[in-house]
Amino acid sequence: MNGEWVKSNSREIIEVINPATENPCACVPGGNREDVNAAVASARQAFNSWAHTSSEKRAAIMNAVADEMQHRTDDLVDAHVITMGCPRHLTAGLHIDAPIKAMRFYADRARQMEEVEEKGSVLLLKEPIGVCALINPWNYPLHQLIGKVAPALAAGCTIITKPSGQTPLQDFIMAEIFAAVGLPPGVFNLVSGSGSVIGPNMSSHPDVDMISFTGSTYAGIKVAAAAAPTVKRVCQELGGKSPYIITKDADLKAAVRYGVEDVMLNTGQTCNALTRMLVPRSRYEEAVNIARKIAEENIVGDPNDKSVTMGPLASASQKQIVLKYIKTGIAEGARIVTGGIDMPPGLHFGAYVQPTIFADVSSEMVISREEIFGPVLCMIVYDDIEAAIEMANDTVYGLSSGVYAKDKTSAIKIARQIRAGQCYIQGSYFNLEAPFGGYKQSGNGREWGDHAMHEYIETKAIIA
Ligand code: NAD
């Protein structure tokens, strides 16, 4: 905080366990309320000056940050490999490259802050919202951090951030990067610690103007409730159980491959994963067979082995959650097509699970309603497209969705009827320009694209 490493006021230590080896790999302070207060005070003190720094200067610093991130790629990769078990050879592509691009993307958006809109005798100005508290989960830790930090910096906000206890290291590296490129002291402040201990301090702090939270719907509700008495802005990026409709005239092989790969990515720990695959009855068994073959192509194992395509889950506790859901699915009568509760072949320790596919899943089953957050796909049969759309929307969530149809035009027709913040059609991928966020219990607000800037901006109307 305030541009310096300071000792925590707490003596708590959080030990991070490498999920592949089950050995400790890092220790960080478990901060407390005093640490949060000091970090907020530091951010508050830095705010005026940073908010009034020219957007050109802010953009130059952000581009220097991107250069330094590029330079520190190996360290950032290492942080992901040891704390969350991502296969090393896949980590830069999956976790590092997009955040570097994003830092440059938002550096470019800093200029928007100086745009003045005139509507008759009304002048509309954009101003930074103030001190922002950022709380992130462990599944894409750098991506999520930069998704908040970059637009906040571009807007002229100052920051206090808390990483997940499982994946704190990239935040520490970023603190070094910010210092190395000369970000003014106090603009970026980091407090590590347990969410249930310091999360409420951050959410309820009267000197925090906005809180952006990514994580479970359960904790997101707590954040909003704690934030309410101080009427701060709350941005919530929460869970999902996203549907994926394949139509009967789609290229089935391509459609199923895309869906299975999407769910297995990052060992299934992706909030917008298309975990409910809806397939027409006439092509269902064919799709199930294709899906099995694709899931079985995965090589699960040591993140340092170049042939491995899937590492462990990020923690032993996440593994227990996923295994519990697989057992629930079996008990509910879903058919295991591949995978299950045994360790993947050849592995004897670590938070590994097998890529698992369930067929004959119905909409009422727990495995089709609750977020599993592991490499588990549910395949559901439908009779007509109206029924498929109804099942797709039959969820408390609305983060993402997918459609694979005969062509783009037919896919868009279906996409328009799904209640979710995003729809990936014809096998498309994450796009920095696309606003990302949920309908219903998947959240409030948007990250990425130009929309992310809105979260960190106040609008001032000057009326002549
Ligand atoms: P989590 O909710 O347990 O934790 C997320 C963060 O919140 C952590 O930093 C944690 O320490 C903190 N936290 C916990 N309790 C808190 C409280 N009372 N107040 C404030 N902070 C608190 O989630 P997780 O297990 O780390 O991550 C997985 C979840 O995140 C999944 O549900 C996934 O869908 C969701 N997620 C959503 C998005 C999105 O953009 N919508 C992206 C990634 C992950």
Side-chain angles (χ1 to χ4, degrees):
M1 54 188 81
N2 210 11
E4 304 205 330
W5 292 112
V6 295
K7 265 203 168 3
S8 168
N9 288 290
S10 143
R11 292 178 171 209
E12 293 272 317
I13 293 288
I14 296 177
E15 190 178 63
V16 184
I17 304 294
N18 179 327
T21 63
E22 297 182 356
N23 292 322
C25 62
C27 280
V28 295
N32 64 13
R33 177 190 288 269
E34 284 77 49
D35 295 330
V36 170
N37 288 344
V40 172
S42 158
R44 175 57 60 198
Q45 206 186 359
F47 175 64
N48 254 337
S49 160
W50 182 244
H52 290 103
T53 299
S54 73
S55 61
E56 204 180 324
K57 173 113 192 264
R58 284 204 305 275
I61 292 176
M62 291 176 68
N63 280 319
V65 170
D67 292 343
E68 192 60 17
M69 287 170 78
Q70 192 83 55
H71 179 64
R72 300 277 311 261
T73 294
D74 288 349
D75 295 336
L76 290 166
V77 164
D78 211 42
H80 287 73
V81 174
I82 64 175
T83 61
M84 59 176 296
C86 187
R88 188 174 291 279
H89 70 107
L90 302 176
T91 303
L94 192 55
H95 290 282
I96 319 293
D97 296 349
I100 297 175
K101 251 195 212 154
M103 192 52 81
R104 296 193 204 285
F105 177 92
Y106 288 107
D108 207 39
R109 299 307 187 270
R111 222 160 291 125
Q112 287 182 0
M113 295 304 292
E114 278 158 21
E115 290 163 5
V116 176
E117 213 181 318
E118 279 191 63
K119 293 197 176 239
S121 60
V122 178
L123 284 188
L124 290 181
L125 312 184
K126 296 187 184 81
E127 294 184 356
I129 190 164
V131 172
C132 300
L134 316 178
I135 299 181
N136 277 312
W138 43 259
N139 60 328
Y140 287 90
L142 182 68
H143 185 86
Q144 284 142 350
L145 176 70
I146 301 304
K148 295 174 174 18
V149 164
L153 290 179
C157 296
T158 55
I159 291 161
I160 155 172
T161 186
K162 188 201 91 57
S164 160
Q166 181 63 42
T167 52
L169 299 185
Q170 67 295 322
D171 285 39
F172 283 75
I173 296 170
M174 286 308 302
E176 290 174 353
I177 290 175
F178 288 130
V181 305
L183 184 75
V187 174
F188 175 87
N189 305 275
L190 159 65
V191 180
S192 53
S194 143
S196 55
V197 176
I198 59 171
N201 302 145
M202 293 171 73
S203 315
S204 63
H205 203 293
D207 231 5
V208 167
D209 299 293
M210 133 359 140
I211 182 152
S212 178
F213 174 85
T214 298
S216 60
T217 297
Y218 172 81
I221 292 169
K222 293 205 157 188
V223 166
T230 48
V231 198
K232 53 175 61 74
R233 185 177 297 168
V234 181
C235 176
Q236 295 159 300
E237 296 289 343
L238 310 177
K241 190 76 193 179
S242 300
Y244 173 43
I245 299 179
I246 299 176
T247 62
K248 65 171 184 286
D249 48 5
D251 174 345
L252 196 67
K253 266 196 187 145
V256 173
R257 172 167 291 282
Y258 168 79
V260 175
E261 289 179 350
D262 177 84
V263 170
M264 301 305 166
L265 188 74
N266 207 33
T267 319
Q269 303 159 119
T270 304
C271 53
N272 61 341
L274 304 172
T275 48
R276 291 184 293 139
M277 185 186 281
L278 295 133
V279 184
R281 192 172 298 280
S282 59
R283 310 202 66 187
Y284 190 70
E285 281 311 321
E286 194 189 344
V288 167
N289 277 328
I290 298 171
R292 179 178 50 73
K293 281 190 199 127
I294 295 163
E296 288 173 356
E297 285 171 5
N298 274 293
I299 301 171
V300 184
D302 180 357
N304 288 306
D305 178 340
K306 275 196 176 141
S307 64
V308 158
T309 60
M310 185 184 284
L313 288 159
S315 63
S317 57
Q318 190 58 26
K319 174 176 168 171
Q320 288 318 313
I321 292 171
V322 172
L323 289 182
K324 195 166 153 230
Y325 274 114
I326 297 177
K327 285 180 194 158
T328 302
I330 295 168
E332 286 178 308
R335 167 171 43 125
I336 289 252
V337 175
T338 184
I341 56 171
D342 297 335
M343 273 295 250
L347 296 169
H348 307 290
F349 58 86
Y352 295 100
V353 289
Q354 293 187 58
T356 297
I357 296 188
F358 278 112
D360 304 342
V361 177
S362 70
S363 270
E364 300 75 43
M365 289 181 185
V366 170
I367 54 166
S368 128
R369 306 201 75 76
E370 296 184 10
E371 187 181 44
I372 299 176
F373 228 55
V376 182
L377 171 67
C378 293
M379 298 186 71
I380 304 170
V381 70
Y382 72 81
D383 286 310
D384 55 55
I385 197 67
E386 288 72 27
I389 293 166
E390 203 180 311
M391 280 193 270
N393 288 329
D394 182 16
T395 166
V396 294
Y397 294 115
L399 185 58
S400 189
S401 59
V403 177
Y404 212 118
K406 185 167 140 258
D407 52 37
K408 194 168 148 188
T409 312
S410 341
I412 291 175
K413 247 192 211 161
I414 299 169
R416 280 176 170 278
Q417 299 175 69
I418 302 177
R419 302 271 305 155
Q422 291 198 325
C423 188
Y424 291 83
I425 61 165
Q426 305 303 92
S428 57
Y429 294 102
F430 176 82
N431 184 329
L432 212 53
E433 304 258 3
F436 185 107
Y439 285 24
K440 303 194 266 182
Q441 291 183 23
S442 288
N444 276 304
R446 292 290 180 270
E447 291 193 325
W448 306 111
D450 284 330
H451 280 67
M453 291 294 291
H454 302 173
E455 304 296 330
Y456 299 93
I457 291 173
E458 286 284 19
T459 301
K460 177 174 283 170
I462 299 183
I463 305 128

